[in-house]
């Protein structure tokens, strides 16, 4: 009784600091985190030790020395030169660049087509928005892998090389892919590419100036004509100055296959189509919800200024909708990059495909999985970093 | 995406986390305690390893594992079959997901050493070949320059392919697909000019095509492919059981002992046969098996020639010749180690 009534009179022999410290928020959270951190470290050490021991017992060698050994792997396509005599390191690089290729082209396509689709979904025309809605539902509710197989089967139905469609001179469409004329890759091509880059930068800078001028004086300066001139003239000038031989190569059927030109392989085409068609359904929904999140009063206010709907959408609604759109778009791009590893199923030689084969041929599971994880982590973190930067840029700046 | 990566990561993690599963004798002890074992096979190739419409696994490689089940438990069903692609098979064995692979794996130095495996007797001497559509009019592999070739990843096949084209200074383009069913569809659908594999597998795949007569296997054999069962390092007793199961089937054929005439040897006075069939004790016991293990195998599964003929030879749709896989006494290479 007395103890209950006067708890603090209990002789605590100088130990009353314990509850005081224990109840201190900082001490407690630090302690919890230290325990968790210690646990993670211990687990990591345990697994590593176990792995080393097991691999030693099974006689599995470890280390990254295999990266220098000749790979002997066949790889169907790549954007850098590769022969089977090259090293595993280079083979993995070829796979990585193939992953980049499908991801970068895909993200651009997905953005353009997805936004278009999202706006179509909002169309007042019930037929159009209904069609788009059906598309979105069908695509989002079937497994992506199935869709990739579907596209791969479709592209394989095209005729054999000897019966290829030949819609234009030098363009062939067959079950070996789409062959188109191309420019001979020559060192001088870099000059042309640089000139093109310069032209793009120049056009962007000019557009900025034009916009600043419009903001200042209200006068509108057209940008397109100058941009077109820059884009055409600069590369041509570079070609002439550095006398880069522009040798077009035209595909032609020789023996089994087409030689010359460049091609989109069935595997790449099916993967790009499948991933893009799948992802735009998600983007369309993101765009729709973003546009709908902008208060309707904005439309009405803009209309009362006499702007047409198209311009309202582009100049007033979309910029505001972007704040809602960008964060989920980040995860969409991330998903796209990660989904691209489904490539293995339809034979596109992406990073996962090459690394899996390397793992199989060398037995270096731990090392190869570490490479895969490191690469996907870097890709994901880069996309996140870029999107976070963009998100901050477009965030509402309060004045 | 994730599926593949998760599988691979799980495999790596299992190597990481795997307990001392491979201490000497531990695999066999665990199998005996469980009363069955797990056998890794291919995903589906006629004659070699394929699930029937009743869901029961059949084929030459399947029979090898069933024979081991008989040796251990005198019951061909005390084994569970797990299908793997060529890419998946090695981590599965390394991590103990299966106890043995019997799936047309080629015995190579790297696999025997660096990957940590032990190979049993070669049950099928093979060589890599090329299959093409007859319409192409190709008669020899040397005419394949510029062709598109379909091949499975994670195989000796893809390595030999690049070796061959390098050696002969020929160009080629590859289409590399892991699932063999997809790969076949790609080849028979015209995506590739050439399909390369172990020539026995080519014959098996051809037999399953809608129009087998449209395709020919070119005469060249560009590699040696000794195919046989394998186990992971670390349990010599289990390794022995696997080896001697195969030798028992070959030895039986050498003595003319078949599934159909087995009991006519009940009164034999040939000492080797008496030892093989367990009428004189000791052989089985030395392996930790029943002395009648070989008798049981031949009774339930048959001898080497029996399983060859029914699955791959005249009794099958594939109709492979015995060739190199005939007994050494008939000019082939199959040769059992003495039972004594
Ligand atoms: N012998 C070659 C070829 C491998 C091979 O044929 N693998 C088998 C099983 S792992 C296979 O893919 N068979 C087709 C199937 O999955 O049914 C090697 O060992 O690398």
């Amino acid at each position: 009784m007395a103890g209950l009534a006067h708890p603090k009179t209990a002789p605590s022999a100088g130990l009353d600091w314990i509850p005081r410290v224990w109840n201190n928020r900082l001490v407690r959270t630090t302690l919890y985190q230290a325990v968790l951190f210690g646990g993670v470290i211990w687990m990591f050490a345990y697994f590593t030790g176990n792995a080393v021991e097991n691999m030693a017992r099974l006689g599995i060698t470890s280390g990254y020395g295999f990266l220098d050994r000749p790979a002997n792997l066949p790889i169907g396509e790549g954007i850098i030169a590769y022969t089977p005599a090259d090293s595993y390191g280079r083979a993995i690089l070829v796979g990585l660049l193939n992953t980049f290729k499908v991801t970068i082209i895909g993200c651009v396509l997905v953005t353009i087509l997805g936004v278009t689709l999202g706006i179509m979904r909002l169309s007042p025309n019930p037929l159009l928005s209904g069609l788009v809605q059906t598309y979105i539902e069908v695509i989002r509710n079937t497994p992506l892998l199935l869709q990739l197989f579907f596209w791969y089967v479709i592209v394989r139905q095209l005729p054999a090389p000897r019966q290829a469609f030949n819609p234009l001179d030098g363009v062939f469409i067959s079950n070996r892919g789409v062959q188109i004329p191309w420019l001979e890759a020559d060192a001088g091509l870099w000059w042309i590419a640089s000139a093109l880059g310069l032209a793009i930068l120049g056009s962007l800078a000019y557009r900025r100036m034009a916009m600043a001028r419009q903001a200042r004086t209200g006068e509108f300066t057209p940008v397109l004509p100058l941009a077109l001139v820059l884009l055409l003239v600069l590369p041509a000038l570079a070609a002439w100055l550095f006398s880069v031989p522009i040798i077009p190569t035209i595909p032609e059927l020789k023996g089994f296959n087409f030689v010359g030109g460049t091609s989109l392989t069935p595997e790449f085409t099916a993967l790009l189509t499948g991933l893009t068609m799948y992802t735009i359904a998600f983007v369309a929904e993101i765009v729709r919800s973003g546009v709908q999140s902008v208060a309707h009063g904005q439309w009405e206010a803009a209309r009362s200024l006499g702007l047409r709907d198209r311009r309202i959408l582009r100049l007033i609604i979309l910029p505001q909708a972007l704040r809602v759109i960008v964060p989920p778009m980040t995860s969409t791009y991330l998903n796209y990059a990660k989904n691209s590893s489904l490539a293995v199923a339809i034979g596109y030689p992406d990073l996962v495909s090459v690394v899996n084969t390397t793992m199989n041929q060398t037995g270096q599971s731990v090392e190869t999985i570490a490479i895969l994880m490191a690469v996907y982590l870097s890709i994901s973190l880069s996309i996140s970093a870029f999107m976070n930067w963009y998100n901050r840029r477009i965030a509402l700046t309060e004045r | 995406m994730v599926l593949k990566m998760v599988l691979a990561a799980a495999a790596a993690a299992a190597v990481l986390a795997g307990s001392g599963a491979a201490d000497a004798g531990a695999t066999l002890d665990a199998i005996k305690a469980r009363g069955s074992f797990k056998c890794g096979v291919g995903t589906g190739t006629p004659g070699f390893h394929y699930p029937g419409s009743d869901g029961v696994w059949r084929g030459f490689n399947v029979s090898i594992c069933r024979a081991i089940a008989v040796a251990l438990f005198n019951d061909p069903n005390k084994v569970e079959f797990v299908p793997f692609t060529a890419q998946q098979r090695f981590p599965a064995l390394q991590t103990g997901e299966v106890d043995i692979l019997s799936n047309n794996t080629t015995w190579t130095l790297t696999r025997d050493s660096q990957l940590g495996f032990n190979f049993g007797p070669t049950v099928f001497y093979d060589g890599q070949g090329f299959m093409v559509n007859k319409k192409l009019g190709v008669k020899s592999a040397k005419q394949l320059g510029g062709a598109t070739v379909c091949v499975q990843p994670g195989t000796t096949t893809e390595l030999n392919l690049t070796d061959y084209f390098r050696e002969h200074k020929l160009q080629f383009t590859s289409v590399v697909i892991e699932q063999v069913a997809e790969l076949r569809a790609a080849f028979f659908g015209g995506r590739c000019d050439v399909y390369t594999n172990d020539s026995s597998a080519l014959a098996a795949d051809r037999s399953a095509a809608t129009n087998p007569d449209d395709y020919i296997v070119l005469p060249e054999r560009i590699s040696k492919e000794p195919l046989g069962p394998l186990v992971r390092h670390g349990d010599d007793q289990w390794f022995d059981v696997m080896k001697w199961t195969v030798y028992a089937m070959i030895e039986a054929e050498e003595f003319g002992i078949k599934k159909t005439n087995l009991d006519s040897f009940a009164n034999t006075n040939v000492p080797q046969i008496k030892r093989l069939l367990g009428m004189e004790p000791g052989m089985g016991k030395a392996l930790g098996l029943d002395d009648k293990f070989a008798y049981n195998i031949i009774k339930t599964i048959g001898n080497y020639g029996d399983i060859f003929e029914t699955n791959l030879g005249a009794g099958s749709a594939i109709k492979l010749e015995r060739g190199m896989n005939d007994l050494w006494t008939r000019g082939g290479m199959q040769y059992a180690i003495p039972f004594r």
Side-chain angles (χ1 to χ4, degrees), chain B residues 42-45 49 89 103-106 111 152 155-156 180 198:
Chain B
T43 52
T45 299
H49 34 230
R89 59 190 157 164
N103 60 355
N104 284 1
T105 295
T106 303
R111 292 171 179 178
Q152 278 182 91
T155 55
T156 50
V180 75
D198 300 336

